[in-house]
Amino acid sequence: MTPPRIRPLALCIFHHDGKILVNEAHDPITGKPFFRPIGGGIEFGETSAQAVIREVDEELGLSVTDVRLLGTLESLFTYAGKPGHEIVQVYDAKFVDASVYGRPHLSAQESDGAAFIARWLQLDSITGDTPLVPAGLYELLKKVALLG
């Protein structure tokens, strides 16, 4: 059994017309839904900004520009019945292909090959029943005035 570890993570906030691009996922044990922006783990030897660019390319097959750090969050959580701990670098960026903003959803793929749909989420649809994760992300986006 591997010992618990802190996972470095980089997420990217794509926003347009009061919406952000998210993946809706569910905890496999509790069944509770949550929303998470596009992104993933930072690999050894790459910066968090490089991780965002790579993750967006891997998950969506799209290029980004204007990558800008918004802030850092520390997340302690339980997922699939196991405790987790992440240090999360949160970025803002733009898609090179502006037509992406007009699509209602995007086909995407996790690094393990699992398919998912990334969709534009109206911010007022975020509730305690379906939170935006990691914890503190919504407040960070308000603080940096990304959400108006």
Side-chain angles (χ1 to χ4, degrees):
M1 183 165 98
T2 56
R5 65 179 184 89
I6 299 171
R7 181 176 180 224
L9 195 68
L11 297 178
C12 195
I13 305 299
F14 294 100
H15 57 95
H16 182 69
D17 288 341
K19 298 176 184 176
I20 62 172
L21 189 65
V22 296
N23 173 20
E24 181 177 357
H26 296 80
D27 185 295
I29 303 291
T30 66
K32 291 185 178 181
F34 58 90
F35 296 115
R36 196 187 96 168
I38 302 301
I42 302 167
E43 295 179 357
F44 185 83
E46 75 180 347
T47 66
S48 56
Q50 290 168 333
V52 161
I53 293 165
R54 177 185 49 76
E55 286 285 340
V56 171
D57 182 51
E58 288 176 1
E59 292 182 2
L60 300 174
L62 296 169
S63 298
V64 298
T65 187
D66 300 334
V67 178
R68 175 177 66 106
L69 181 66
L70 298 176
T72 302
L73 297 170
E74 185 165 9
S75 179
L76 298 167
F77 58 95
T78 300
Y79 178 77
K82 296 179 181 171
H85 188 173
E86 297 172 334
I87 304 294
V88 185
Q89 298 287 92
V90 181
Y91 284 86
D92 177 34
K94 293 182 173 68
F95 288 113
V96 171
D97 179 359
S99 73
V100 171
Y101 297 103
R103 300 182 203 167
H105 57 80
L106 304 169
S107 297
Q109 184 173 326
E110 293 287 359
S111 58
D112 65 3
F116 70 93
I117 299 294
R119 66 183 180 98
W120 295 101
L121 176 70
Q122 194 69 41
L123 292 169
D124 58 13
S125 63
I126 297 170
T127 68
D129 293 332
T130 311
L132 181 63
V133 298
L137 180 56
Y138 187 83
E139 292 77 12
L140 173 65
L141 297 181
K142 283 287 204 190
K143 181 180 174 184
V144 298
L146 203 63
L147 303 184

